Amino acid sequence: MTLFEQPVENAPREKLRDVQSQKLRELFRVVFERNRFYTEKWREAGIAPGELGSLADLAKLPFTHKSELARAQDEAPPFGTNATFPAEAYSRVHQTSGTTGRPLRVVDTPESWEWWGRCWRFVLRGAGVTPSDRVFLPFSFGPFIGFWAAVEGVRQLGAMMIPGGGWDSLERLRMMRDLGATVICCTPTYALRLAEVAREHRFEMRSIPVRALIHAGEPGANVAQTKARIEAAWNAKCFDHAGASEVGAHSFECERQPKGIHVIESEFIPEVIDPETGKKMQPGEAGELIITNLGRPGFPAIRYRTGDLVRLNLSPCACGRTFARFDGGLLGRVDDMVTIRGVNVYPTAIENLIRQFSAVDEFQVRVKTRQEMGHLEVQIEVHSGSDAEDVRMRVEQAIYRALSLRPTVTVAPAGALARFEMKARRFQRLDQG
Ligand SMILES: [Zn+2]
């Protein structure tokens, strides 16, 4: 921890704005004329280099879409015109997980990799991780950036990192027990999967001294029922974290767990807009998160449309941090929100309803829309020993009571539904014209 860093997360908000303003000015200075993607984009919007100097100037800039970054990559493969510096300047390449569209490559310099680690330090410290912790990463170390950045954060913090790649779930459980893992970073889905494997093999979960789980990659740690289920299975606290390969590790949950995540405002500038009109939303109103990262000038994201729905909260947090919060974490994807018979339905809301039934081991949801009408189909796997028909009916009633929608709920045979190690794909939309 540097002397600079500790005060910044507790600094008065005017001080935070100074920090952002200073970093943004430096970013503009480096990017304009050097980064082909942004220079062309801004010139097309009629902006001259001298015009950009303050925080308020950010609003003059056009939004950046993921599809533009993908096109920029096609124009100048393999890294694209958003690479500000010559290729020799970069020391790492990763790519997005490609859950939406094809993967996008991202590159980092030694400095911006250091920055990823710095952001992860906020995440780890938020969860109360200290140098004496042993952090287990049950993750196959492929090109996806997420937990690689966690490794760098753990290194900077001085805790012990236990790599758990290349093992099956049972081996991982034993490794955590034998090495005394105290923290685990994984997707919420995988935390539940590990607990399920432990149950199948009569492995004693209490033999693992894990006290905190840090989750990323998908919603879950912000879904009350999923969080409660993970915390019960692991007898540990579960912390939410959000980030993206194109943007950085931008938000984390603090030890006070105020049902939301802090955005690291010393390293990012968040804005919230109406996804339809682009109009700025007020704190408390849900809208799309637009983010500008301040520590990756070699591959910047400036006014980047994340596609994530958030609700900004500027009120003070009991932990003393002055960083703004996203109430309820990431509420869902702008694209995933479906309107069924006039009701706005978010996948996280359905997940929350289904997860309250401890007898449901796994589920899948399909939304079929036809001519503005929609229908919700839910498949559940019921824990052996439970009355499947009774659980099925109760899930159906819970969804009807909460959303005033009549879903079709069916029971799938045990083990029939997909299990996930990384990002889960439990929601499917079928537009039938
Ligand atoms: Zn807090």
Side-chain angles (χ1 to χ4, degrees):
M1 188 192 316
T2 64
L3 281 174
F4 174 70
E5 195 177 306
Q6 184 56 37
V8 82
E9 54 187 348
N10 299 302
R13 294 196 52 82
E14 311 81 75
K15 172 79 172 46
L16 269 180
R17 273 191 291 274
D18 286 349
V19 170
Q20 288 179 329
S21 186
Q22 209 180 324
K23 289 187 179 180
L24 188 64
R25 244 194 322 273
E26 177 60 13
L27 181 65
F28 287 147
R29 193 190 63 76
V30 174
V31 167
F32 225 144
E33 308 291 7
R34 278 201 193 87
N35 179 300
R36 203 175 109 200
F37 173 75
Y38 281 106
T39 304
E40 285 176 4
K41 188 175 165 64
W42 294 347
R43 280 200 196 286
E44 264 168 44
I47 292 158
E51 261 183 77
L52 301 174
S54 73
L55 265 186
D57 294 334
L58 193 61
K60 294 180 189 167
L61 300 174
F63 297 125
T64 303
H65 295 257
K66 189 173 189 173
S67 58
E68 292 175 276
L69 292 179
R71 268 203 305 279
Q73 204 131 77
D74 291 341
E75 262 174 50
F79 307 125
T81 56
N82 189 33
T84 309
F85 309 124
E88 310 81 78
Y90 298 95
S91 54
R92 297 189 74 101
V93 58
H94 290 277
Q95 64 185 40
T96 58
S97 53
T99 39
T100 50
R102 68 199 157 86
L104 176 77
R105 292 183 202 97
V106 296
V107 282
D108 280 290
T109 61
E111 294 76 24
S112 68
W113 192 247
E114 182 79 19
W115 171 79
W116 268 94
R118 184 158 78 236
C119 295
W120 255 94
R121 248 161 48 212
F122 282 102
V123 178
L124 294 165
R125 286 212 325 270
V129 181
T130 71
S132 54
D133 275 303
R134 296 176 195 170
V135 184
F136 187 75
L137 290 148
F139 167 60
S140 65
F141 284 82
F144 177 56
I145 206 165
F147 295 108
W148 278 111
V151 171
E152 176 61 15
V154 172
R155 186 193 70 78
Q156 289 185 18
L157 189 72
M160 180 183 280
M161 191 278 284
I162 309 173
W167 298 77
D168 69 24
S169 295
L170 186 60
E171 288 167 336
R172 284 169 169 166
L173 288 164
R174 291 183 181 136
M175 197 179 190
M176 275 187 271
R177 177 193 61 199
D178 297 345
L179 296 181
T182 55
V183 178
I184 168 172
C185 300
C186 64
T187 59
T189 295
Y190 194 58
L192 288 171
R193 175 68 191 145
L194 282 171
E196 193 182 35
V197 169
R199 204 170 63 206
E200 284 163 12
H201 292 270
R202 298 179 191 286
F203 177 92
E204 184 45 70
M205 285 293 277
R206 303 284 156 130
S207 66
I208 301 174
V210 163
R211 59 177 178 77
L213 297 103
I214 300 173
H215 293 307
E218 56 174 26
N222 61 334
V223 177
Q225 295 294 343
T226 304
K227 186 179 193 125
R229 185 180 276 218
I230 296 169
E231 292 190 335
W234 285 84
N235 189 31
K237 285 269 168 214
C238 137
F239 295 88
D240 193 16
H241 153 61
S245 311
E246 316 89 287
V247 173
H250 59 73
S251 309
F252 66 94
E253 186 169 344
C254 67
E255 63 281 8
R256 293 304 184 99
Q257 304 201 295
K259 293 196 171 66
I261 47 181
H262 285 284
V263 53
I264 308 170
E265 286 183 284
S266 53
E267 310 295 341
F268 299 90
I269 302 174
E271 300 171 79
V272 183
I273 62 158
D274 179 326
E276 300 277 313
T277 64
K279 186 177 96 17
K280 185 180 171 205
M281 304 298 271
Q282 293 309 308
E285 293 176 334
E288 182 178 351
L289 171 64
I290 305 297
I291 215 157
T292 298
N293 59 16
L294 299 169
R296 203 190 210 183
F299 201 87
I302 302 174
R303 299 204 93 197
Y304 183 74
R305 293 193 70 148
T306 62
D308 291 317
L309 287 169
V310 295
R311 195 178 281 126
L312 200 65
N313 180 349
L314 296 173
S315 68
C317 180
C319 72
R321 289 179 182 85
T322 50
F323 290 165
R325 278 173 284 157
F326 299 138
D327 276 340
L330 304 185
L331 301 171
R333 301 283 302 165
V334 171
D335 300 339
D336 283 349
M337 193 195 77
V338 286
T339 309
I340 305 175
R341 295 164 200 263
V343 182
N344 284 346
V345 179
Y346 296 102
T348 46
I350 301 173
E351 174 163 356
N352 203 22
L353 288 167
I354 298 174
R355 288 289 194 206
Q356 62 187 306
F357 296 94
S358 57
V360 175
D361 283 336
E362 191 51 78
F363 68 94
Q364 287 277 326
V365 176
R366 268 208 298 213
V367 178
K368 287 184 178 169
T369 55
R370 190 198 293 267
Q371 290 161 350
E372 307 292 304
M373 299 300 270
H375 186 70
L376 197 62
E377 291 182 359
V378 179
Q379 274 189 298
I380 53 171
E381 252 183 54
V382 178
H383 187 45
S384 61
S386 304
D387 180 344
E389 177 53 23
D390 175 62
V391 176
R392 189 197 69 75
M393 270 169 43
R394 286 193 291 130
V395 168
E396 207 166 74
Q397 281 161 7
I399 294 173
Y400 178 68
R401 271 201 306 276
L403 305 172
S404 304
L405 293 170
R406 286 247 177 250
T408 306
V409 180
T410 53
V411 177
L417 301 180
R419 299 296 195 271
F420 306 90
E421 182 167 331
M422 283 300 296
K423 298 190 182 198
R425 293 186 186 89
R426 294 196 183 89
F427 293 87
Q428 223 191 332
R429 268 178 78 165
L430 300 172
D431 291 311
Q432 303 176 317

